[in-house]
Amino acid sequence: MKPKLQLLILFCMLMFTVSAQNDTSAKSKIAQNDTTLKFTNVQKDSSVILISTKKDTTTARFMGDPAPQLRVRDWIKGTPVTSFEKGKVYVVDFWATWCGPCIAGMPHLSDLARKFKDKVTISSIDVFESQVSRPKTLTQIKEFIDSMGRKMNFNVAVEDTNFTVHDWLDAFHQHYIPAAFVINGQGIVVWMGNTRSLDTVLQKIVNNTWDIEAESIKRKYADSSQKYLDDLDEALISKVRRYQGRYNDLDDLGFPDSTLMVIDEMVKKEPKLKYSQWVASYTFIALLRTNPHKAYEFGKQAIASSPNGGDAYGSIIGDIRDDMRKLSTPKEIYLLGAECYQVKIDQSPPYLTVGGMAKQYHEMAEWYRRGGDKLKALAAEKKAIKLWEKEAKK
């Protein structure tokens, strides 16, 4: 082999090795920065969505399947449930000390425990404590439960990290908390969902009028349809990432026209995507950079097309904040953002602090001021001040 050719081959091998090392390094950084669970905002039904980033290898279970064994680390309050006895109805609820909607729903769960006393056994299992930056110890969890008193008037346990979530939430693909399961007298899971919806269901199950077959068919169809749309919606992220521009470069607006072309093609194939979470967000911010008035009109439609504003209001607020760093934001966009703040306030979960509510009114007032509506700005600021005064008196 000629010397020059040998040198060329060696050079190519060296470059391939360096490239592979850099690629491995990049993947390593992504892996280090990634987390098992990502927490999104509080939803309109007062639940916290958890998106798993791990590949799901759990065998899927559905309503109508036998209930798994309830394996926990420790029972902290009430009577331990070691098995689901024949002829008895059980509720298994999942929560966390950091989950505001879970805590807000505890009095309701206690009311149900009293209402269906001697007919239904309710147990609440603490999960996902390790997923926050400062997880509570077992002692702290016990102290928290003790502090709730009669607001948690039912059996309470702490998860076994090897089994509980895997056997229940993962297996039944319930990616949010609070999440409750109802097990009938035959040991079958006959319902699952947000704890807030238990009232009617429990009454029908206790009265033996619950149609598990009809509900199961309806749920499977709805779940599969929604998953199809969610998968398409999330696929957009990778399709338009290269068109977004560098976040910290205030002069880099990316290629918003290309983003809109990709979205237009997707929506033509599946019109239901038009106001889905990611499609709506990327559409709105691309329009902000090309035609702000169209962005305003689209934002209004997105809120109107989503039940109670859906996720649209939070997305619009975030997109306006991001874009005002790079562009001169028109008044009507600030007014739209202020309206979104009002929707956000109207749908605020019951655990939101007085100070947190005051801050939202203060931010809303600022956007009304920038939008030129001084009267609404003044009214919002007065509400913020009143709430801060209330907080100061505590």
Side-chain angles (χ1 to χ4, degrees):
M1 189 179 292
K2 294 181 180 180
K4 288 185 176 179
L5 182 57
Q6 287 179 319
L7 286 172
L8 179 60
I9 293 173
L10 286 171
F11 177 77
C12 290
M13 290 177 66
L14 177 63
M15 292 302 294
F16 177 81
T17 302
V18 171
S19 175
Q21 289 174 343
N22 288 339
D23 183 59
T24 302
S25 175
K27 288 178 180 177
S28 175
K29 288 179 180 178
I30 291 172
Q32 289 171 2
N33 290 332
D34 198 12
T35 55
T36 301
L37 294 165
K38 295 180 180 178
F39 307 101
T40 68
N41 61 329
V42 176
Q43 305 299 295
K44 61 181 179 294
D45 64 348
S46 295
S47 61
V48 177
I49 301 295
L50 303 103
I51 303 174
S52 176
T53 60
K54 280 186 175 180
K55 185 177 180 180
D56 191 356
T57 58
T58 306
T59 301
R61 289 175 178 264
F62 303 95
M63 286 196 331
D65 287 346
Q69 181 182 351
L70 187 55
R71 298 185 280 187
V72 300
R73 176 184 174 188
D74 191 18
W75 286 94
I76 296 175
K77 185 174 183 177
T79 305
V81 176
T82 56
S83 64
F84 299 118
E85 297 181 30
K86 189 173 182 180
K88 294 185 177 181
V89 176
Y90 295 84
V91 171
V92 179
D93 168 66
F94 293 92
W95 68 289
T97 60
W98 49 260
C99 171
C102 301
I103 307 307
M106 290 303 178
H108 175 237
L109 201 58
S110 295
D111 288 342
L112 291 178
R114 286 188 286 271
K115 178 180 179 180
F116 293 101
K117 186 180 179 182
D118 301 326
K119 295 180 180 179
V120 179
T121 299
I122 297 179
S123 302
S124 197
I125 318 301
D126 176 64
V127 294
F128 297 128
E129 290 296 340
S130 62
Q131 301 301 324
V132 292
S133 57
R134 294 182 180 179
K136 283 183 168 60
T137 64
L138 182 59
T139 299
Q140 290 173 323
I141 294 171
K142 289 179 178 178
E143 290 173 351
F144 178 88
I145 293 169
D146 288 341
S147 72
M148 292 290 289
R150 289 181 59 81
K151 291 180 181 179
M152 293 184 73
N153 200 21
F154 38 78
N155 306 324
V156 186
V158 176
E159 70 169 319
D160 183 318
T161 53
N162 293 319
F163 300 110
T164 314
V165 169
H166 175 273
D167 292 349
W168 290 83
L169 296 174
D170 288 347
F172 287 91
H173 296 281
Q174 297 298 289
H175 302 302
Y176 61 87
I177 51 176
F181 296 79
V182 181
I183 299 93
N184 71 2
Q186 287 73 50
I188 302 298
V189 174
V190 292
W191 183 86
M192 54 191 176
N194 192 300
T195 312
R196 293 176 59 187
S197 305
L198 269 172
D199 303 65
T200 304
V201 174
L202 272 182
Q203 190 66 62
K204 288 183 177 180
I205 292 171
V206 168
N207 294 340
N208 293 317
T209 58
W210 179 248
D211 190 340
I212 173 61
E213 185 176 352
E215 181 67 18
S216 182
I217 292 172
K218 182 175 72 174
R219 186 76 65 94
K220 284 181 181 179
Y221 176 78
D223 288 350
S224 61
S225 299
Q226 188 57 50
K227 186 178 186 304
Y228 164 72
L229 292 175
D230 289 345
D231 288 345
L232 284 179
D233 188 44
E234 289 183 18
L236 176 68
I237 300 172
S238 59
K239 290 177 181 289
V240 300
R241 182 179 290 122
R242 58 180 171 167
Y243 302 132
Q244 298 313 298
R246 294 181 295 276
Y247 181 82
N248 291 323
D249 185 344
L250 300 185
D251 295 321
D252 187 357
L253 300 180
F255 302 92
D257 286 330
S258 298
T259 296
L260 291 172
M261 286 177 62
V262 172
I263 292 173
D264 185 58
E265 192 65 29
M266 288 183 69
V267 173
K268 280 181 180 178
K269 293 179 180 178
E270 180 47 79
K272 292 180 181 178
L273 285 174
K274 187 172 183 178
Y275 299 112
S276 59
Q277 181 180 358
W278 292 110
V279 169
S281 178
Y282 280 112
T283 300
F284 182 73
I285 201 163
L287 288 173
L288 275 178
R289 298 176 181 184
T290 55
N291 190 325
H293 182 65
K294 283 189 176 181
Y296 172 80
E297 292 178 336
F298 178 84
K300 297 281 283 187
Q301 292 167 358
I303 296 172
S305 301
S306 303
N308 299 320
D311 296 327
Y313 64 87
S315 178
I316 288 172
I317 290 171
D319 290 338
I320 294 173
R321 278 183 186 151
D322 282 346
D323 223 54
M324 61 193 285
R325 301 174 308 116
K326 297 189 175 188
L327 295 172
S328 176
T329 306
K331 289 184 177 181
E332 64 179 349
I333 296 298
Y334 279 122
L335 293 176
L336 174 65
E339 291 175 23
C340 287
Y341 264 115
Q342 186 61 64
V343 177
K344 186 177 180 181
I345 289 169
D346 291 342
Q347 296 186 19
S348 291
Y351 60 86
L352 184 66
T353 64
V354 173
M357 184 74 77
K359 183 180 178 183
Q360 290 187 18
Y361 273 117
H362 175 67
E363 291 171 349
M364 182 172 71
E366 173 61 17
W367 282 17
Y368 270 129
R369 185 187 65 77
R370 294 190 182 198
D373 195 327
K374 295 180 180 179
L375 290 178
K376 286 187 177 180
L378 183 60
E381 200 65 77
K382 284 182 177 179
K383 290 179 181 179
I385 293 171
K386 188 175 181 179
L387 288 168
W388 274 318
E389 287 175 344
K390 180 179 178 181
E391 186 181 47
K393 292 177 181 178
K394 288 184 178 181

